[in-house]
Amino acid sequence: MTCSPSEHVERAQDEFEVQMAAFCTYLRDVRNLSPNTTRAYETDLQAYVDWCRREGIDPLRITHSEVRSWLAELQDAGYATTTQNRHLSAVRSLYKWLVSRGVTTQDNVEAVASPKLSRRLPKTLSPDEVVRLLDACEEDTCGVRDRAMVELLYASGARISEVSGLNVVDVDLRGRQVRLFGKGSKERLVPLYPKACEACGRYIREARPELAAASRAAQNALFLSVRGRRMSAASLRLAFEALVGKAGLDPSITPHAMRHTFATQLLDGGADLRSVQELLGHESLSTTQIYTHVSIERLKAAALQAHPRSGE
């Protein structure tokens, strides 16, 4: 019995959704991506499948113009350019995987240009603003904890999710370094300056035991809440935002601004891009190039120093 065109499309959509689930399992079990990253893929890909069903499109034979229509809908819905690119990246990865498995031979998504990102750079903090942020920390238990958090963010350029995942043993005060686990559970060691070690050491000795006493369960987590539990990335972010408000700083400053500040100040201080890439935990150097910027003064100094005729 011959299927009608609509029945054929529905079967293709069902098959595509099954393959999508298999792809997400692959990301989790083979690529070893974090639960948060895998969940983000699942959410974005499911939204794409829902769009295909709503528009009556066969996702295994999607055309170039249909892909552009999907992107146009994301734009019309008011999604930021970064969000549009994230959706497109997820769908591209899925189609690349499907082609490698022989599920489909068509990959018109790969041919579609990514929406252009704004050249606006993330906000960074000046050294004086960092001092104001630290001065906003009280001398009580939570204040000692928050000071250690700010110093650690500033010293390591860690993502807030990485800080949330830290255990006490990951901070080596004697060796002045912290062990971070980035995307895909990739491990890296980042050196810490003395003041960061002092702040973390004081927190571990004085404040953390008080917080740990609030929970009956043994906790290995470095940063604990008032209930003695591991602080999530969201709760750390809230604590950071509270300090920003108390310090009277720009409300748009986030923990990620500390990461960008870390990277740009290293570059301004003469660090090479490869070293910054390793410290940030970026797989690709191009990611670091987009993520960081170099001051005009350093560029001028580098040009004058390197050019053979600069001394003439």
Side-chain angles (χ1 to χ4, degrees):
M1 183 175 177
T2 305
C3 294
S4 67
S6 60
E7 289 175 331
H8 178 82
V9 169
E10 287 179 9
R11 289 186 179 182
Q13 291 167 346
D14 291 340
E15 172 63 18
F16 189 82
E17 192 156 7
V18 169
Q19 294 293 338
M20 181 198 80
F23 174 66
C24 291
T25 300
Y26 161 78
L27 294 178
R28 183 186 67 245
D29 298 343
V30 180
R31 290 277 307 279
N32 195 31
L33 298 187
S34 70
N36 286 341
T37 302
T38 304
R39 196 177 305 115
Y41 269 97
E42 290 173 344
T43 301
D44 292 348
L45 292 174
Q46 187 60 56
Y48 175 73
V49 170
D50 292 343
W51 176 82
C52 288
R53 290 189 183 280
R54 196 166 59 245
E55 299 297 320
I57 289 172
D58 179 351
L60 295 175
R61 292 178 174 81
I62 193 165
T63 65
H64 186 273
S65 61
E66 287 170 339
V67 175
R68 294 201 62 81
S69 295
W70 166 62
L71 285 174
E73 183 169 305
L74 292 179
Q75 184 176 14
D76 293 342
Y79 286 105
T81 306
T82 51
T83 304
Q84 295 174 44
N85 276 318
R86 192 195 70 214
H87 280 258
L88 180 58
S89 176
V91 173
R92 275 178 176 161
S93 297
L94 173 57
Y95 274 101
K96 185 177 181 179
W97 185 76
L98 291 174
V99 170
S100 71
R101 287 168 55 89
V103 176
T104 183
T105 57
Q106 295 186 23
D107 188 4
N108 285 313
V109 177
E110 183 63 31
V112 175
S114 302
K116 291 185 178 180
L117 290 170
S118 169
R119 297 303 297 173
R120 184 177 59 185
L121 293 164
K123 183 175 290 293
T124 61
L125 284 78
S126 67
D128 288 342
E129 287 175 323
V130 174
V131 170
R132 287 170 60 185
L133 198 61
L134 290 167
D135 287 345
C137 299
E138 301 286 348
E139 285 299 310
D140 59 7
T141 301
C142 290
V144 173
R145 178 201 63 196
D146 293 347
R147 174 179 285 272
M149 172 190 67
V150 173
E151 288 280 18
L152 194 58
L153 285 169
Y154 190 42
S156 67
R159 302 175 179 91
I160 196 67
S161 58
E162 294 171 343
V163 173
S164 172
L166 284 174
N167 291 327
V168 176
V169 295
D170 294 323
V171 181
D172 180 2
L173 296 177
R174 182 173 296 180
R176 291 184 178 178
Q177 61 187 9
V178 60
R179 180 173 57 181
L180 298 170
F181 294 90
K183 295 180 179 180
S185 298
K186 292 185 177 178
E187 179 183 334
R188 69 186 189 278
L189 289 174
V190 179
L192 300 176
Y193 51 72
K195 284 189 178 295
C197 290
E198 290 173 13
C200 289
R202 183 188 176 194
Y203 163 64
I204 292 171
R205 290 190 310 270
E206 301 176 12
R208 189 183 177 281
E210 294 185 27
L211 295 171
S215 176
R216 294 181 180 180
Q219 290 283 345
N220 297 318
L222 176 61
F223 290 107
L224 300 178
S225 68
V226 292
R227 295 184 179 180
R229 300 172 183 173
R230 181 186 295 274
M231 293 182 72
S232 66
S235 57
L236 286 170
R237 192 174 289 110
L238 286 173
F240 184 90
E241 290 172 355
L243 290 176
V244 169
K246 190 174 180 181
L249 299 175
D250 187 335
S252 66
I253 292 174
T254 65
H256 208 70
M258 298 293 284
R259 179 169 164 83
H260 193 72
T261 300
F262 168 82
T264 53
Q265 289 187 358
L266 284 181
L267 287 170
D268 287 346
D272 64 273
L273 204 57
R274 286 286 183 188
S275 298
V276 176
Q277 175 193 356
E278 291 294 325
L279 292 171
L280 291 175
H282 285 157
E283 277 192 31
S284 171
L285 185 62
S286 62
T287 306
T288 312
Q289 289 172 322
I290 295 170
Y291 189 86
T292 60
H293 68 282
V294 185
S295 67
I296 296 298
E297 289 75 19
R298 181 171 175 246
L299 287 174
K300 287 179 179 177
L304 289 173
Q305 182 179 4
H307 200 282
R309 295 179 66 83
S310 61
E312 296 182 4

